[in-house]
Amino acid sequence: KDDLQILFLTVDPERDTPAQLRAYLSLFDVGVTGLTGSRKDITRTLRHFGVYAEKTGGSDYLFDHSAAVYLYRADGSFKGTIVHNEPFEYMAEKIKSIF
């Protein structure tokens, strides 16, 4: 649907610059807006949504993090989540339910 807005929030604002987010998100077939900010703002936002994110390793680090799609209706009310291993049919029904 044209009314669908997709946002992607980094868990690593130090490494995920706006240019790097733009390059990564350009690989998707749909328009996705990348969001970044200060470490403080990202940490606060992750906490608000209950997202787990932990830096692991040394200088060549990775982030272990939860991953979910958060669904909101146009009025801003929370509808639910989609997780990576859900059957496609469930995902499609959840997306349809926000319109």
Side-chain angles (χ1 to χ4, degrees), residues 32-96:
V32 180
T33 301
L35 302 175
T36 188
S38 69
R39 167 53 56 200
K40 181 180 175 183
D41 289 341
I42 295 297
T43 299
R44 185 180 313 131
T45 302
L46 296 176
R47 192 174 305 124
H48 172 80
F49 286 99
V51 174
Y52 164 80
E54 183 178 351
K55 195 176 190 177
T56 61
S59 61
D60 192 24
Y61 65 90
L62 298 172
F63 263 90
D64 184 21
H65 60 82
S66 54
V69 173
Y70 293 78
L71 300 171
Y72 286 83
R73 294 182 183 96
D75 67 3
S77 62
F78 178 69
K79 173 60 179 167
T81 60
I82 296 174
V83 294
H84 68 87
N85 59 352
E86 281 189 60
F88 175 77
E89 296 79 18
Y90 292 175
M91 291 182 202
E93 286 303 314
K94 286 181 176 183
I95 292 170
K96 287 178 192 175

Side-chain angles (χ1 to χ4, degrees), residues 23-39:
Y24 172 66
L25 296 174
S26 73
L27 301 173
F28 294 89
D29 287 340
V30 296
V32 180
T33 301
L35 302 175
T36 188
S38 69
R39 167 53 56 200

